[in-house]
Amino acid sequence: MNSKLADAAAGEGPREAAPAARIGTASTLLMLVRRELWEHRALWIAPLVVAALMVCGAVVAGLKYHLTHGDMSGEDRPGGMAMFAVMQGAASTPLSVVSLIVLAFYLLDCLYAERKDRSILFWKSLPVSDDKTVLSKLLVALLVVPLGVFALGLLLSLLFTGIWEVNAAFGRVPPIPGWDMLGWLKAEIALLACLIVGVLWYAPYAAYLLLVSAWARRTPFLWATLPPVVAQIVEHFTFDTHYLRDLLVYRTYGIWPTLFGHMQVGRGRAFALGAALDRLNLGAALTDRNLWIGLAVAAAMVFGAIRLRRYRDDT
Amino acid sequence: MTAVIEARGLAKAYGATRALDGVSFSVEAGRIVGLIGPNGAGKTTALKAILGLTPFRGELQVLGLDPRTQRDELMREVCFMADVAVLPRWLRVSQALEVVGGVHPRFDRARATEFLSKTDIRMQSRVRELSKGMVTQLHLALILAIDARLLVLDEPTLGLDLLYRRKFYDTLLNDYFDKERTILLTTHQVEEVENLFTDVIFINHGRVALSSSVEALGGRYQQLNVSAEAAPTARALQPFYEREVFGRVAMLFEGRSAAELRGFGELRTPSIADLFVAKMQGTPST
């Protein structure tokens, strides 16, 4: 092997000038996003595994259980839109839960692990600015994975529909009433609106995790979780108040009543979701003052993470 | 000719420890500069300042840019390699080529591939599957394919066996170095690479103890080997360092002409390693 390297050293002709091509911001970011998906494979493997399990489950359930008493064409049948939305919502929920967990760990790890294993010295030897690097991680969490989960949920709902139709053909379940293209499109738009509002509303959480990841010298998980918990306990015993808890609860659920126009979702009637989706108040959600305050705070925390990555030196 | 690196009064403290305490030096284009110092002398801090990896006080221009404010621009012209273990362990060789090619405007992928084809490194291997020597070869392949003006190496061969070390420096010299390029290198293994350097900078306790071209060292420093009997008379010429070897005394002089010393014994130019030891022991500890 060593002699081969010597050959490599000796046997090369005169050096040709490397092409000093311009590389645009968009293609750099695309490359960085791909890099994230190479390193953190759980980001796409976990949802795919869950999706595969769900498809298997649907096939087995179709073979095993028969549902012959229901009738989906009666007077009170849900609108096509509601049905599609429920189908896709059911498909997307497990995917979203798994993705949120994987994303939380990803965000906590992505700026910490590179310092821990010193690979940051390699990444920093490349002409990539800290803002682009941090932005690429944010893009993964707020754009690439959410859109991926949405697309996978859509694919799954189509697969489930297909499985249902096959079962219906064998008389194991009642047939689905005719395909309602307009209803389907409306459902997709409504679900996408929910996704956008959700991403914007939860962006401060993502930014917080990035900031902790850039800051912590060890155990970023504890640094991310302990201070809020301890602060709540201290607040409770010192002032007998719970502003922090209220804030966290609000930051977790607060936007959904605004988006759904204060409708009660669920309440034993699955198809209420469809009705709610039909009357989404996207305008109210997107003009919500607290949504924008949250985004401003998120931007500040991302800026903090960029500054920290610039000079944090524990290699 | 403008300097590639122009440092004036660099200072940096970690708590009470002064890692850099007013460091000034300059590096011209087309040189191979050894930045040499004992552990904790401030070498790595100086490199980090040059690479914009750490804040510091003082004036510093690298390729005419300020590493504090113009780092993104600077890194298009500068390559660096900290010691071997910094390539991400999950990275595949093919991915390494793709990612560097994807973000570096001066990376020539064909050149890196050609270099790698002459090694035992396979494109599908992950870094964690490679031996330490192979990881260094991979990193070297990436660096050789980047058309940079300044290459900074911080202990690049630490923990490698002699064969890999020798190959590393041979490749660097034959395949990479030319008159437009500058290499700044820190190492512990001074004896092994001292023939490589065109310039040396000794750094100790955050200060520059010596900064000189290698050619100029011969005129400035003399090593005189005298017998024990002749030593007291030679000592009157004030050597700044002396050492006894097998009954003879090796003395190092600064600023004495060869004519002054020749009469006392055998005269030679000190090796960089000897000079380094002498300078480090001559400098008072703080």
Side-chain angles (χ1 to χ4, degrees), chain A residues 1 4 19 21 34 124 310, chain B residues 52 71 98 105 118 164 167:
Chain A
M1 174 198 312
K4 287 183 185 172
R34 287 178 60 205
K124 285 214 169 192
R310 176 75 175 84
Chain B
R71 176 167 203 279
E98 199 164 346
K118 292 167 186 166
Y164 271 116
K167 297 280 185 281

Side-chain angles (χ1 to χ4, degrees), chain A residues 38-62:
Chain A
W38 289 340
E39 179 177 4
H40 302 273
R41 288 186 296 164
L43 286 173
W44 49 275
I45 289 179
L48 281 179
V49 166
V50 171
L53 286 176
M54 284 166 73
V55 171
C56 291
V59 170
V60 171

Side-chain angles (χ1 to χ4, degrees), chain A residues 230-242 245:
Chain A
V230 171
Q232 283 181 59
I233 295 170
V234 168
E235 187 193 346
H236 175 74
F237 285 107
T238 315
F239 305 107
D240 198 21
T241 59
H242 39 80
R245 193 186 74 198

Side-chain angles (χ1 to χ4, degrees), chain A residues 1-2 4-5 8-9 12 15 18-21 34 38-39 119 121 123-125 127 129 310 313 315, chain B residues 48 52 67-68 71-72 80 83 86 88 90 95 98 104-106 111 115 118 120 137 164 167 175 178 181:
Chain A
M1 174 198 312
N2 292 315
K4 287 183 185 172
L5 185 58
E12 300 227 335
R15 202 170 58 77
R34 287 178 60 205
W38 289 340
E39 179 177 4
S119 63
L121 289 174
W123 298 116
K124 285 214 169 192
S125 77
S129 61
R310 176 75 175 84
D313 178 17
T315 47
Chain B
K48 279 185 171 165
R68 282 167 290 202
R71 176 167 203 279
D72 303 340
F80 80 88
D83 67 58
V86 305
W90 54 267
Q95 291 174 337
E98 199 164 346
H104 208 307
R106 293 170 176 275
R111 193 170 150 77
F115 180 84
K118 292 167 186 166
D120 286 344
Q137 283 181 324
Y164 271 116
K167 297 280 185 281
D175 271 20
D178 63 32
R181 287 176 169 176

Side-chain angles (χ1 to χ4, degrees), chain A residues 109-251:
Chain A
D109 188 61
C110 63
L111 294 173
Y112 166 75
E114 63 173 11
R115 284 181 292 125
K116 197 174 122 194
D117 69 10
R118 304 178 70 236
S119 63
I120 188 172
L121 289 174
F122 170 67
W123 298 116
K124 285 214 169 192
S125 77
L126 299 173
V128 178
S129 61
D130 294 293
D131 26 319
K132 275 186 205 146
T133 304
V134 174
L135 199 62
S136 74
K137 293 164 199 281
L138 205 62
L139 272 178
V140 167
L142 298 185
L143 191 72
V144 177
V145 171
L147 280 182
V149 165
F150 180 81
L152 196 56
L154 174 58
L155 185 73
L156 269 190
S157 71
L158 294 176
L159 268 175
F160 288 166
T161 308
I163 291 169
W164 186 285
E165 290 287 10
V166 169
N167 284 320
F170 286 102
R172 288 195 284 260
V173 293
I176 298 176
W179 181 265
D180 173 3
M181 193 63 191
L182 188 67
W184 178 78
L185 270 179
K186 279 172 79 182
E188 293 311 312
I189 290 168
L191 286 171
L192 213 48
C194 290
L195 183 79
I196 291 167
V197 170
V199 163
L200 295 177
W201 186 251
Y202 295 126
Y205 280 125
Y208 170 73
L209 294 174
L210 266 184
L211 183 66
V212 173
S213 183
W215 179 80
R217 288 192 196 276
R218 60 183 72 87
T219 58
F221 181 78
L222 287 182
W223 279 114
T225 50
L226 270 187
V229 171
V230 171
Q232 283 181 59
I233 295 170
V234 168
E235 187 193 346
H236 175 74
F237 285 107
T238 315
F239 305 107
D240 198 21
T241 59
H242 39 80
Y243 288 112
L244 185 60
R245 193 186 74 198
D246 292 350
L247 176 70
L248 289 177
V249 168
Y250 176 69
R251 287 305 326 177

Side-chain angles (χ1 to χ4, degrees), chain B residues 9-28:
Chain B
L10 297 191
K12 161 99 185 167
Y14 293 102
T17 320
R18 284 185 185 166
L20 294 177
D21 191 8
V23 167
S24 302
F25 61 90
S26 88
V27 173
E28 301 290 330

Side-chain angles (χ1 to χ4, degrees), chain B residues 264-279:
Chain B
F264 295 98
E266 180 203 345
L267 199 59
R268 49 180 285 230
T269 301
S271 71
I272 292 172
D274 285 341
L275 197 54
F276 171 72
V277 170
K279 275 284 175 184

